[in-house]
Amino acid sequence: MTHLSDMMNKDYLIEKLKLFFGFDNFKGDQKSIIKNLMDGDDLFVLMPTGGGKSLCYQLPSLLMEGTAIVISPLIALMKNQVDVVNGLTEQDGVAHFMNSSLNKAAVAQVVKDVHSGKTKLLYVAPESLNKLDNLDFFVSFKISFYAIDEAHCISEWGHDFRPEYRNIRPTIEKIATLRNERRAPIIALTATATDKVRMDIKKSLGILNAKDFKSSFNRPNLYYEVRQKNSEEDADSQIIRFLKQCEGKSGIIYCLSRKKVEELSKKLQINGFRAAPYHAGLDTEVRTQTQDDFLREDIDVIVATIAFGMGIDKPDVRFVIHYDIPKSLEGYYQETGRAGRDGGEGRCIAFYSPKDLKKLEKFTDNKGEAEKEIGRQLLEETKAYAETSVCRRKFLLHYFGEEYTKDNCANCDNCTHPQKSIDAQDALLVVLRAIKAVKQHFDQAYIIDFVRGRATDNIVRHEHDELAEFGSGMEINEREPSIWNPVIRQAMIAHYIYKDVENYGFLTLTPEGLGYIKKPKPFHVVLDRQFDETEDASGGNSSALDDKLYKLLRGLRKAVARKHNLPPYVIFQDISITLMATTYPVTMDELLQIQGVGQGKAKKFGKEFIDLIKRYCEENDIQRTDMMRVISLPNKSQKKLKIIELIDKRIPLDEIAADQGYEFDELLDEIESIVNSGMKVNISYYVDDDGVVDPDEIADIYEYFRKSETDDIDEAIDEADIYDDEDGLTAEQKARLVLIKFLSEEGN
């Protein structure tokens, strides 16, 4: 091993850095990390994507005796990094990878190059390292050190848990024992890990005494934004409009399912974009070709599954879009970190709908209780990030244990369009006293129920409804019912409250929190963004929404609704009104391009709206740009026609779902889309005649939607007092079915 004591020239590492990588100086902690690794220390490196993690093990591997083993989870990442390292020198075979993609001849070449001493860096998947058949090979050569890349995969709290990572330590120890020598040093690297994850990784690898290097998580060049996702069609249109503004720029769009990856990439292609799908279901050759095309800029956009990951080291990715809200902030942060790695522009846009969280929750249904609880807490943090109105950078950095002192970063949607804050001193006092009263032994949802005076079964069981503090926030709740979540979240950022993630997310008081009870002072919070009503379809805060026209259109909608004795949302949904006030449609053809406006609604209600818009444009000298036409996938329309045909034949909806390859909730999404466009769909045969919903429940839900100003499903469930059936439909499914029935019968 090459020790630093042998390097009397203090510029030795700088010299080698320049020789191999062409850089004049190290970035951040890189030099210290390399020095410690070369001196034989175990290290834990927490460094954001784009911070230069790979150099921390690539450079020392070239300088040290033996071959470094890099354990990496992705074949794509291995290939990419091997290509990079082999490009650093004139000699072939300096870096290799060993995984399931190699044939026998390729494996033989790897073995030959390693034994000759030519290979300084060997990338392996954890499965390859742990494979018993490979043990003799790993024992047969000197290992300079082990680098565990994407080390968060080790942790059950990590966003991409992989069981094989748990077996790394026993395998490494076995290799050292068989070689009859001290274990080679270990460097664990990750771009994202909370303190809980960090300790879990170190414990699993047996490096509790490892030196920690933690770089700042702040990426000032990244712009963070969360957009309302009203429907898939809405999100598709927003993405296409966004891409039109980013012509020729590289970007990644993450989707939750392979099906959506395929569908969206096809839609982008027919709308003229150079896009390709990328997921684990594709052949290795196809994925490799797609990756190479992206790196060579033969394609601009890759649509990929979140679960599979990318592993592409491309410095000039200009945007990362999350079509679905991710399962954890760890995953979200790492995926957004692929943007702007060269320090240039990087736009990170996530689409969010509360319905997405329910889908993600279902993924944990078949898991153990502990894993389910972990998943629930991670989702809660994601929800908090999506809905918060505070600086997104501040929120993210706080989550990863880093303080961001500025209140406005000027580079996220909440900071570029800040909301007005309110003084929540009284609400904070109520919360802090409540946490103290229940002995700091309950989570956020429990505390909110407690201060609101909701005698839930859990609260009654603990006899907390008898405490003096129970219901102490009822008066505040009447004035501002949405205040509690933002108060608690922002009190955490202000260090008045600590969430114990290792203990079911229980809320505890910090010394500052206890001090605040004794000596309160003004505490300003901004309320959460509301995602149950539609914002601007082009992204809310970054829109060209004409507020004046928007108000006029809402007024007209209200008048038309009154004339037809219907709730306003039955005439046109908020998304449609918003788009009208953004794109100014003045002909029937243009109106039909608006999300949620089909032939039926256009004919029935459209004329008054386009007349108003036309008049408004003339009076205000509005220079309209041509409306961009978004081309839809033909098979999508054909599927909808097939659904309508099967409903006309009175086929039960659960049978239609099975026949067409949908989950039941996905089928309801499609039927809602059909009905929202103004088409009449009669599902009474299923809802009423087949008796899938109790007649009294139908009447109660129907009456709610008739009188309500909103089509909010959760509110309908609460108001109509609807519950899940033991072996049948959920309360949400029942409410959605009745809403479809109502919209069809009353509005279309």
Side-chain angles (χ1 to χ4, degrees), residues 670-693:
E670 294 292 348
I671 300 173
E672 282 170 350
S673 175
I674 293 165
V675 171
N676 287 335
S677 72
M679 188 168 287
K680 196 176 185 74
V681 176
N682 183 5
I683 61 167
S684 292
Y685 71 91
Y686 181 73
V687 179
D688 301 302
D689 302 346
D690 289 1
V692 296
V693 185

mmCIF file of all heavy atoms in Angstrom, residues 670-693:
data_model
loop_
_atom_site.group_PDB
_atom_site.id
_atom_site.type_symbol
_atom_site.label_atom_id
_atom_site.label_comp_id
_atom_site.label_asym_id
_atom_site.label_seq_id
_atom_site.Cartn_x
_atom_site.Cartn_y
_atom_site.Cartn_z
ATOM 1 N N GLU A 670 -59.997 6.202 -15.813
ATOM 2 C CA GLU A 670 -60.355 6.302 -17.236
ATOM 3 C C GLU A 670 -61.805 6.756 -17.401
ATOM 4 O O GLU A 670 -62.117 7.608 -18.238
ATOM 5 C CB GLU A 670 -60.146 4.944 -17.932
ATOM 6 C CG GLU A 670 -58.697 4.490 -18.020
ATOM 7 C CD GLU A 670 -57.862 5.355 -18.947
ATOM 8 O OE1 GLU A 670 -58.422 6.174 -19.702
ATOM 9 O OE2 GLU A 670 -56.625 5.222 -18.916
ATOM 10 N N ILE A 671 -62.711 6.177 -16.596
ATOM 11 C CA ILE A 671 -64.131 6.540 -16.715
ATOM 12 C C ILE A 671 -64.341 7.992 -16.292
ATOM 13 O O ILE A 671 -65.108 8.735 -16.917
ATOM 14 C CB ILE A 671 -65.020 5.585 -15.880
ATOM 15 C CG1 ILE A 671 -64.861 4.136 -16.373
ATOM 16 C CG2 ILE A 671 -66.494 5.993 -15.965
ATOM 17 C CD1 ILE A 671 -65.567 3.103 -15.516
ATOM 18 N N GLU A 672 -63.629 8.418 -15.241
ATOM 19 C CA GLU A 672 -63.719 9.821 -14.815
ATOM 20 C C GLU A 672 -63.263 10.755 -15.939
ATOM 21 O O GLU A 672 -63.881 11.793 -16.182
ATOM 22 C CB GLU A 672 -62.852 10.044 -13.568
ATOM 23 C CG GLU A 672 -63.488 9.542 -12.290
ATOM 24 C CD GLU A 672 -62.543 9.544 -11.104
ATOM 25 O OE1 GLU A 672 -61.317 9.755 -11.310
ATOM 26 O OE2 GLU A 672 -63.010 9.322 -9.985
ATOM 27 N N SER A 673 -62.179 10.372 -16.612
ATOM 28 C CA SER A 673 -61.673 11.179 -17.722
ATOM 29 C C SER A 673 -62.716 11.281 -18.836
ATOM 30 O O SER A 673 -62.921 12.350 -19.412
ATOM 31 C CB SER A 673 -60.384 10.543 -18.255
ATOM 32 O OG SER A 673 -59.935 11.215 -19.396
ATOM 33 N N ILE A 674 -63.392 10.176 -19.122
ATOM 34 C CA ILE A 674 -64.440 10.158 -20.153
ATOM 35 C C ILE A 674 -65.586 11.084 -19.757
ATOM 36 O O ILE A 674 -66.051 11.919 -20.535
ATOM 37 C CB ILE A 674 -64.961 8.711 -20.369
ATOM 38 C CG1 ILE A 674 -63.868 7.829 -20.985
ATOM 39 C CG2 ILE A 674 -66.220 8.709 -21.258
ATOM 40 C CD1 ILE A 674 -64.149 6.341 -20.906
ATOM 41 N N VAL A 675 -66.028 10.957 -18.514
ATOM 42 C CA VAL A 675 -67.169 11.742 -18.024
ATOM 43 C C VAL A 675 -66.813 13.222 -17.926
ATOM 44 O O VAL A 675 -67.613 14.093 -18.275
ATOM 45 C CB VAL A 675 -67.646 11.193 -16.656
ATOM 46 C CG1 VAL A 675 -68.674 12.116 -16.026
ATOM 47 C CG2 VAL A 675 -68.230 9.806 -16.827
ATOM 48 N N ASN A 676 -65.582 13.522 -17.474
ATOM 49 C CA ASN A 676 -65.164 14.918 -17.340
ATOM 50 C C ASN A 676 -65.059 15.631 -18.683
ATOM 51 O O ASN A 676 -65.094 16.852 -18.747
ATOM 52 C CB ASN A 676 -63.824 15.000 -16.600
ATOM 53 C CG ASN A 676 -63.970 14.701 -15.119
ATOM 54 O OD1 ASN A 676 -65.041 14.876 -14.548
ATOM 55 N ND2 ASN A 676 -62.905 14.217 -14.502
ATOM 56 N N SER A 677 -64.922 14.868 -19.752
ATOM 57 C CA SER A 677 -64.875 15.487 -21.080
ATOM 58 C C SER A 677 -66.272 15.780 -21.609
ATOM 59 O O SER A 677 -66.421 16.331 -22.695
ATOM 60 C CB SER A 677 -64.130 14.579 -22.055
ATOM 61 O OG SER A 677 -64.914 13.440 -22.369
ATOM 62 N N GLY A 678 -67.293 15.395 -20.835
ATOM 63 C CA GLY A 678 -68.662 15.742 -21.222
ATOM 64 C C GLY A 678 -69.469 14.594 -21.800
ATOM 65 O O GLY A 678 -70.596 14.796 -22.257
ATOM 66 N N MET A 679 -68.919 13.388 -21.785
ATOM 67 C CA MET A 679 -69.629 12.249 -22.362
ATOM 68 C C MET A 679 -70.479 11.559 -21.301
ATOM 69 O O MET A 679 -70.050 11.397 -20.159
ATOM 70 C CB MET A 679 -68.633 11.259 -22.958
ATOM 71 C CG MET A 679 -69.285 10.141 -23.759
ATOM 72 S SD MET A 679 -68.068 9.211 -24.724
ATOM 73 C CE MET A 679 -67.706 10.391 -26.008
ATOM 74 N N LYS A 680 -71.663 11.169 -21.675
ATOM 75 C CA LYS A 680 -72.582 10.500 -20.748
ATOM 76 C C LYS A 680 -72.230 9.014 -20.687
ATOM 77 O O LYS A 680 -72.127 8.343 -21.717
ATOM 78 C CB LYS A 680 -74.021 10.674 -21.239
ATOM 79 C CG LYS A 680 -75.081 10.380 -20.192
ATOM 80 C CD LYS A 680 -76.469 10.688 -20.755
ATOM 81 C CE LYS A 680 -77.544 10.529 -19.695
ATOM 82 N NZ LYS A 680 -77.548 11.624 -18.727
ATOM 83 N N VAL A 681 -72.028 8.502 -19.508
ATOM 84 C CA VAL A 681 -71.711 7.087 -19.302
ATOM 85 C C VAL A 681 -72.643 6.550 -18.228
ATOM 86 O O VAL A 681 -72.620 7.026 -17.094
ATOM 87 C CB VAL A 681 -70.231 6.906 -18.860
ATOM 88 C CG1 VAL A 681 -69.950 5.454 -18.549
ATOM 89 C CG2 VAL A 681 -69.280 7.392 -19.934
ATOM 90 N N ASN A 682 -73.459 5.592 -18.577
ATOM 91 C CA ASN A 682 -74.457 5.075 -17.636
ATOM 92 C C ASN A 682 -73.921 3.855 -16.896
ATOM 93 O O ASN A 682 -73.841 2.759 -17.454
ATOM 94 C CB ASN A 682 -75.737 4.711 -18.398
ATOM 95 C CG ASN A 682 -76.834 4.232 -17.452
ATOM 96 O OD1 ASN A 682 -76.675 4.264 -16.233
ATOM 97 N ND2 ASN A 682 -77.946 3.775 -18.007
ATOM 98 N N ILE A 683 -73.534 4.049 -15.620
ATOM 99 C CA ILE A 683 -73.050 2.915 -14.823
ATOM 100 C C ILE A 683 -74.054 2.524 -13.737
ATOM 101 O O ILE A 683 -73.712 1.799 -12.807
ATOM 102 C CB ILE A 683 -71.671 3.227 -14.184
ATOM 103 C CG1 ILE A 683 -71.758 4.436 -13.236
ATOM 104 C CG2 ILE A 683 -70.608 3.449 -15.236
ATOM 105 C CD1 ILE A 683 -70.540 4.599 -12.346
ATOM 106 N N SER A 684 -75.298 2.997 -13.874
ATOM 107 C CA SER A 684 -76.314 2.690 -12.861
ATOM 108 C C SER A 684 -76.545 1.189 -12.731
ATOM 109 O O SER A 684 -76.831 0.686 -11.642
ATOM 110 C CB SER A 684 -77.638 3.386 -13.205
ATOM 111 O OG SER A 684 -77.491 4.779 -13.067
ATOM 112 N N TYR A 685 -76.408 0.461 -13.855
ATOM 113 C CA TYR A 685 -76.621 -0.991 -13.804
ATOM 114 C C TYR A 685 -75.660 -1.652 -12.817
ATOM 115 O O TYR A 685 -75.985 -2.652 -12.180
ATOM 116 C CB TYR A 685 -76.443 -1.605 -15.204
ATOM 117 C CG TYR A 685 -75.011 -1.624 -15.695
ATOM 118 C CD1 TYR A 685 -74.175 -2.713 -15.456
ATOM 119 C CD2 TYR A 685 -74.483 -0.538 -16.381
ATOM 120 C CE1 TYR A 685 -72.853 -2.720 -15.895
ATOM 121 C CE2 TYR A 685 -73.166 -0.530 -16.827
ATOM 122 C CZ TYR A 685 -72.354 -1.627 -16.579
ATOM 123 O OH TYR A 685 -71.054 -1.620 -17.010
ATOM 124 N N TYR A 686 -74.455 -1.080 -12.699
ATOM 125 C CA TYR A 686 -73.449 -1.658 -11.803
ATOM 126 C C TYR A 686 -73.610 -1.129 -10.377
ATOM 127 O O TYR A 686 -73.590 -1.888 -9.413
ATOM 128 C CB TYR A 686 -72.055 -1.325 -12.331
ATOM 129 C CG TYR A 686 -70.923 -1.882 -11.495
ATOM 130 C CD1 TYR A 686 -70.625 -3.242 -11.500
ATOM 131 C CD2 TYR A 686 -70.145 -1.049 -10.687
ATOM 132 C CE1 TYR A 686 -69.589 -3.763 -10.733
ATOM 133 C CE2 TYR A 686 -69.104 -1.550 -9.919
ATOM 134 C CZ TYR A 686 -68.836 -2.910 -9.952
ATOM 135 O OH TYR A 686 -67.812 -3.415 -9.178
ATOM 136 N N VAL A 687 -73.789 0.193 -10.267
ATOM 137 C CA VAL A 687 -73.867 0.819 -8.940
ATOM 138 C C VAL A 687 -75.183 0.479 -8.244
ATOM 139 O O VAL A 687 -75.192 0.061 -7.083
ATOM 140 C CB VAL A 687 -73.717 2.355 -9.058
ATOM 141 C CG1 VAL A 687 -73.824 3.004 -7.682
ATOM 142 C CG2 VAL A 687 -72.390 2.714 -9.700
ATOM 143 N N ASP A 688 -76.315 0.635 -8.975
ATOM 144 C CA ASP A 688 -77.637 0.432 -8.371
ATOM 145 C C ASP A 688 -78.107 -1.019 -8.493
ATOM 146 O O ASP A 688 -78.340 -1.706 -7.488
ATOM 147 C CB ASP A 688 -78.682 1.342 -9.047
ATOM 148 C CG ASP A 688 -78.316 2.809 -8.918
ATOM 149 O OD1 ASP A 688 -78.170 3.272 -7.783
ATOM 150 O OD2 ASP A 688 -78.186 3.482 -9.960
ATOM 151 N N ASP A 689 -78.220 -1.484 -9.752
ATOM 152 C CA ASP A 689 -78.842 -2.789 -9.989
ATOM 153 C C ASP A 689 -78.045 -3.945 -9.408
ATOM 154 O O ASP A 689 -78.606 -4.882 -8.853
ATOM 155 C CB ASP A 689 -79.050 -3.015 -11.497
ATOM 156 C CG ASP A 689 -79.910 -1.912 -12.121
ATOM 157 O OD1 ASP A 689 -80.534 -1.159 -11.349
ATOM 158 O OD2 ASP A 689 -79.947 -1.807 -13.361
ATOM 159 N N ASP A 690 -76.705 -3.895 -9.576
ATOM 160 C CA ASP A 690 -75.883 -4.982 -9.042
ATOM 161 C C ASP A 690 -75.669 -4.855 -7.534
ATOM 162 O O ASP A 690 -75.106 -5.754 -6.904
ATOM 163 C CB ASP A 690 -74.512 -5.011 -9.740
ATOM 164 C CG ASP A 690 -74.621 -5.498 -11.186
ATOM 165 O OD1 ASP A 690 -75.752 -5.787 -11.611
ATOM 166 O OD2 ASP A 690 -73.585 -5.575 -11.872
ATOM 167 N N GLY A 691 -76.076 -3.725 -6.991
ATOM 168 C CA GLY A 691 -76.025 -3.542 -5.533
ATOM 169 C C GLY A 691 -74.638 -3.464 -4.950
ATOM 170 O O GLY A 691 -74.429 -3.824 -3.789
ATOM 171 N N VAL A 692 -73.656 -2.973 -5.721
ATOM 172 C CA VAL A 692 -72.296 -2.893 -5.179
ATOM 173 C C VAL A 692 -72.165 -1.768 -4.150
ATOM 174 O O VAL A 692 -71.246 -1.760 -3.338
ATOM 175 C CB VAL A 692 -71.236 -2.713 -6.295
ATOM 176 C CG1 VAL A 692 -71.199 -3.918 -7.201
ATOM 177 C CG2 VAL A 692 -71.466 -1.444 -7.084
ATOM 178 N N VAL A 693 -73.078 -0.795 -4.229
ATOM 179 C CA VAL A 693 -73.101 0.274 -3.227
ATOM 180 C C VAL A 693 -74.486 0.285 -2.593
ATOM 181 O O VAL A 693 -75.505 0.178 -3.287
ATOM 182 C CB VAL A 693 -72.806 1.656 -3.859
ATOM 183 C CG1 VAL A 693 -72.723 2.731 -2.775
ATOM 184 C CG2 VAL A 693 -71.506 1.634 -4.661
#
